[in-house]
Amino acid sequence: MMLCREIIQVIEAAYPREAALDFDNVGLLAGRSEKEVQRIYLALDATDTVIDRALEAGADMLITHHPLIFSPLKRVTDEDFVSRRVVKLIQNDIAYYAMHTNYDVLGMAALSERILQIRGAEVLDVTMERDGREEGIGRIGKLEHPMTLGECGAYVKHKLELSSVKVFGDLASQVSRIAVSPGAGKSAIPTAIAKGADVLVTGDIGHHDGLDAVEQGLAVIDAGHYGTEYIFIDDMKHFFEEKLPVLDVTASPVIHPFQVLSDVE
């Protein structure tokens, strides 16, 4: 068992809050820093279902990637669907911690590089320097070998263990230089183009964003926001098992927030 603040010190030694982007809200967002913690529950989002599962698991601390409290709350009551969750967490004495773009910069980017086996990778969008190294959002580099865009889509689907991906571009075109920006990657399109990527793997790409990217010579593989970031859960489980083996860690099951239906009769 450890105090919540002691666990936070370990997390922030690896993923300091200073690495988060200016717009973000990370850190201890609800609960007591002096809370004694034996069991941590890990998830991507602090949904009602996740909080209920954390309660069922007997968790003392909930850690998510996306912050539940993002926009300012004017009141904390049970009359609002966001603050109602905050009330439930506090009522049940569960400390709630979010690690968002600080993890994106210092964890998610390198993790996605390894999963997609990007060669000669460099930071896609540099946001900081740490220990003499550039760090930031996403990665860009070479595929192991050139392939068609259709083959690349299948490759990404396989590596991220997804049931489907959405592809913008000519499936027969050749791609070799790949960029990845997990999460919502619309803003990564100009940077990927400027750095000579043939294809960008990301999520949350709208109709016009995809079409405009293709017109500028960049294919896009939309693997989904959840589909490119759920890797946080397993990665942080291994982090705690290595750094704080005294704690029990329960990982939320991988449940994609929507399903793609095809050939429905």
Side-chain angles (χ1 to χ4, degrees), residues 2-20:
M2 298 177 66
L3 294 178
C4 175
R5 60 174 171 79
E6 294 173 332
I7 296 169
I8 290 172
Q9 288 172 357
V10 174
I11 294 172
E12 294 183 357
Y15 307 104
R17 279 181 283 179
E18 292 76 16

Side-chain angles (χ1 to χ4, degrees), residues 219-241:
V220 178
I221 297 173
D222 186 338
H225 198 132
Y226 187 94
T228 54
E229 289 195 329
Y230 78 91
I231 53 178
F232 160 86
I233 301 170
D234 192 55
D235 187 49
M236 285 306 298
K237 188 173 190 297
H238 289 308
F239 174 87
F240 285 115
E241 288 171 347

